[in-house]
Amino acid sequence: MDTDNATTVELSDEEWRARLSPEKYQVLRKQSTERPFTGTYVNVKDDGMYHCAGCNAPLFRSDAKFESGTGWPSFYEPAQDANIELVKDTSHGMTRTEVVCGSCGGHLGHVFPDGPTPTGQRFCMNSCALKLDPSAK
């Protein structure tokens, strides 16, 4: 994995609302979750790099994507460790590990210890928090 430093993006709540669609704002800035099996990238198998839909930081390579059966795009590792942060999440009466963009702090999804080899991790992401760039790898 690359460990390049992410660039910090800081915007006001008003600026985020202007930049993002209502759905993306709810997920990225208010830690909402899209309904399973409804996201744009659930079944996409195209090559490229998945970027943060809020700030365009590179997050996940398509070759790390796998079919988890959960209804959300899943990856076994990030493209660059510096571009994500892992945060303890105790909402909804459970303890999970939230994945946020290391550049803008946007909520991406959660990571679970039930993924495939080589990492055993499942980064379960919201489609609307991502944008696929097919020209990048």
Side-chain angles (χ1 to χ4, degrees):
M1 272 182 256
D2 298 331
T3 55
D4 298 336
N5 292 329
T7 303
T8 302
V9 175
E10 294 182 21
L11 299 175
S12 70
D13 191 58
E14 229 174 64
E15 290 170 313
W16 282 118
R17 284 183 186 272
R19 177 184 274 205
L20 301 171
S21 70
E23 180 186 32
K24 288 180 183 188
Y25 175 82
Q26 285 301 313
V27 169
L28 285 163
R29 307 315 308 169
K30 298 298 178 184
Q31 290 75 34
S32 186
T33 301
E34 63 193 5
R35 290 187 338 268
F37 301 102
T38 63
T40 304
Y41 298 120
V42 173
N43 297 311
V44 170
K45 295 178 181 9
D46 299 347
D47 289 337
M49 177 71 73
Y50 288 87
H51 293 257
C52 176
C55 70
N56 206 38
L59 300 173
F60 298 96
R61 289 183 307 275
S62 61
D63 61 2
K65 189 172 189 270
F66 68 96
E67 178 54 53
S68 67
T70 62
W72 292 278
S74 297
F75 304 86
Y76 61 79
E77 69 182 355
Q80 299 176 2
D81 287 340
N83 286 358
I84 65 159
E85 287 183 33
L86 303 179
V87 179
K88 185 176 181 178
D89 176 3
T90 58
S91 64
H92 306 293
M94 62 184 103
T95 301
R96 300 176 291 172
T97 303
E98 178 185 13
V99 181
V100 299
C101 177
S103 180
C104 71
H107 171 75
L108 304 170
H110 291 86
V111 62
F112 302 95
D114 60 0
T117 55
T119 67
Q121 296 182 312
R122 174 173 51 95
F123 287 84
C124 190
M125 303 293 100
N126 288 286
S127 282
C128 69
L130 304 172
K131 103 179 137 174
L132 176 61
D133 178 359
S135 67
K137 297 205 177 170

